[in-house]
Amino acid sequence: MCGRYTLFTPPEDLEDRFGARFERSPEPRYNAAPGQHLPVVTNDAPEAIQEFRWGLVPSWADDESIGNRLINARAETIDEKRSFRGAYKSRRCLVLADGFYEWTETDDGKRPYRVRLEDDAPFAMAGLYERWQPPQKQTGLAEFGGDDEPSRETDTVETFTIVTTEPNEVVSDLHHRMAVVLDPADEERWLAEGGTDVLHPYEGAMDAYPVSTAVNNPANDSPALVDPAPA
C-alpha cells in the first residue's frame, strides 16, 4: 500500500516537470498523510495543479467518511470494484510526489524507509479522483410563505486515491505492495486514455533508506523526517 509520502520539490520545478501551473502556492510536505489536501493533475484540467483530499469518496457514497478506507486502489481490480470503476473510466489523475514511505518489521518493531528515484527527481503516482456532494438537505420554506421545496447543499468535496501494484525489487524487501510510479512516457496516456498495462511495478532506478520513526506520527512534518537515520 501507500500510506504516506513526500513532496518538497520547489513548486517552479514541479510546474516545469509536469507542464502545469499551481492554482495556489503549496506547502512542502515531508509526511503527506490521508485526509490532507495534496497536489494532483486531473485529466479534465491537465494544465492545472490542484489540491484534492487524499481518501476517495465515491459519488454514490452516503457519508464522506468512506474516504478513510479508500486511500489506495488495487491496479488489478480498479475496473471491477464499485468504488473505483467509474473513476477509472472517466476520472484519472497524477499524484505528485518525490518519495514515499514504507515500513518493514525488525526486532525493535516497524522501521520506516523512504523510497525515492535514484536521482531524487519528482514523479507521478497513478491516481483516481472523485467529486462528491453531501446528500441533499430538506429545508421547509412554508414558514416564510414560499413553496415547501428542498434547498440543496452544494459544497463539493474533491478527493483522490493512489493506485497500487506488486512491488519492484527495491520495495519488495519492505512491503508486498507499492504505489504505481508511472513512467514519464505513460503519464499523458494515463490521463487521456487509462489502460491497466501502464500500472506495473516501476522499472527505473530507485533506492530506499531508513528514516526516523518520527515519521510514524502524521502530525510530524519537518525536513528532518527525510534525513537518513542509522539502520
Side-chain angles (χ1 to χ4, degrees), residues 76-95:
E76 298 87 345
T77 56
I78 57 172
D79 57 348
E80 302 170 4
K81 296 288 187 181
R82 184 188 181 206
S83 296
F84 307 122
R85 63 193 180 203
Y88 169 65
K89 181 179 180 180
S90 305
R91 294 175 293 280
R92 296 173 300 277
C93 65
L94 307 179
V95 181

Side-chain angles (χ1 to χ4, degrees), residues 96-128:
L96 310 191
D98 49 29
F100 58 86
Y101 296 108
E102 291 294 356
W103 282 257
T104 186
E105 293 286 352
T106 71
D107 293 339
D108 298 323
K110 288 188 175 183
R111 184 62 189 271
Y113 282 73
R114 181 170 178 255
V115 183
R116 61 180 180 178
L117 301 191
E118 202 168 69
D119 61 1
D120 219 11
F123 53 85
M125 299 181 288
L128 308 174

Side-chain angles (χ1 to χ4, degrees), residues 4 12 42 52 63 86 98 132 144 152 184 188 190 203-204 229:
R4 219 73 65 72
E12 57 271 21
T42 65
F52 285 12
D63 191 308
D98 49 29
W132 177 85
F144 300 108
R152 298 189 177 187
E188 185 175 345
W190 171 248
E203 298 172 349

Side-chain angles (χ1 to χ4, degrees), residues 35-55:
Q36 296 176 350
H37 286 79
L38 301 161
V40 299
V41 174
T42 65
N43 62 337
D44 68 347
E47 74 288 348
I49 304 176
Q50 306 176 72
E51 288 193 348
F52 285 12
R53 192 177 73 196
W54 186 6

Side-chain angles (χ1 to χ4, degrees), residues 26-202:
E27 295 293 328
R29 296 285 189 172
Y30 303 93
N31 196 10
Q36 296 176 350
H37 286 79
L38 301 161
V40 299
V41 174
T42 65
N43 62 337
D44 68 347
E47 74 288 348
I49 304 176
Q50 306 176 72
E51 288 193 348
F52 285 12
R53 192 177 73 196
W54 186 6
L56 193 80
V57 181
S59 59
W60 47 260
D62 294 326
D63 191 308
E64 62 185 299
S65 65
I66 192 175
N68 299 330
R69 306 194 303 272
L70 300 179
I71 66 170
N72 290 160
R74 293 176 65 92
E76 298 87 345
T77 56
I78 57 172
D79 57 348
E80 302 170 4
K81 296 288 187 181
R82 184 188 181 206
S83 296
F84 307 122
R85 63 193 180 203
Y88 169 65
K89 181 179 180 180
S90 305
R91 294 175 293 280
R92 296 173 300 277
C93 65
L94 307 179
V95 181
L96 310 191
D98 49 29
F100 58 86
Y101 296 108
E102 291 294 356
W103 282 257
T104 186
E105 293 286 352
T106 71
D107 293 339
D108 298 323
K110 288 188 175 183
R111 184 62 189 271
Y113 282 73
R114 181 170 178 255
V115 183
R116 61 180 180 178
L117 301 191
E118 202 168 69
D119 61 1
D120 219 11
F123 53 85
M125 299 181 288
L128 308 174
Y129 70 94
E130 286 278 13
R131 292 185 171 95
W132 177 85
Q133 289 188 343
Q136 297 175 4
K137 292 183 177 179
Q138 300 288 329
T139 303
L141 302 180
E143 59 185 300
F144 300 108
D147 295 332
D148 192 13
E149 292 291 336
S151 66
R152 298 189 177 187
E153 188 170 319
T154 59
D155 293 335
T156 300
V157 178
E158 298 175 316
T159 61
F160 73 92
T161 188
I162 295 172
V163 182
T164 67
T165 186
E166 295 183 353
N168 61 14
E169 185 174 348
V170 171
V171 179
S172 62
D173 290 336
L174 307 175
H175 201 271
H176 65 281
R177 302 288 294 177
M178 71 176 290
V180 172
V181 176
L182 292 166
D183 293 328
D186 290 332
E187 292 169 2
E188 185 175 345
R189 180 186 166 198
W190 171 248
L191 290 182
E193 305 173 17
T196 56
D197 58 317
V198 305
L199 304 178
H200 52 74
Y202 187 69

